[in-house]
Amino acid sequence: AKALSDLLSTLLWEPKLDPRLRELVIMRLGWATGSVYEWTQHWRIASQLGVSEADIVGVRDWRSHAGYRPADRAVLA
C-alpha cells in the first residue's frame, strides 16, 4: 500500500506528466487494485480535464481500447 501511495503522491504533487496521462495511469491503477475511492475520485478529475468516458473506461482493458494515442499506451503499459 505504501508503494502505491508513494507512486500516486508523486504523480499528483510532482506533475511531470501531462495531466491526461497522469489521470489515465491513476485510473488504471485504481481499476487494477479495486480501489473504489481512486476510481470514483479520479473519474471526476479525468472528466474535468476532458478525458472522454470511453478513454476512462478503456483503462479496464487498455490493450484493446482503440481510442488511445501512442503516449497513452506507453504510460498504461
Side-chain angles (χ1 to χ4, degrees):
K2 180 174 180 349
L4 181 58
S5 176
D6 290 348
L7 174 62
L8 294 175
S9 293
T10 298
L11 291 171
L12 285 173
W13 306 120
E14 298 176 29
K16 295 179 182 170
L17 274 179
D18 171 87
R20 171 193 164 76
L21 298 177
R22 179 194 69 220
E23 291 308 314
L24 289 175
V25 169
I26 293 171
M27 295 297 294
R28 181 178 188 279
L29 290 169
W31 181 257
T33 61
S35 175
V36 174
Y37 174 82
E38 292 298 332
W39 184 257
T40 57
Q41 291 300 308
H42 287 277
W43 181 292
R44 181 181 51 82
I45 295 167
S47 296
Q48 289 172 347
L49 289 170
V51 180
S52 71
E53 184 174 335
D55 285 352
I56 293 171
V57 172
V59 303
R60 295 174 180 177
D61 185 15
W62 65 272
R63 289 177 181 92
S64 298
H65 180 60
Y68 289 141
R69 303 172 298 193
D72 300 335
R73 292 191 179 284
V75 298
L76 292 170

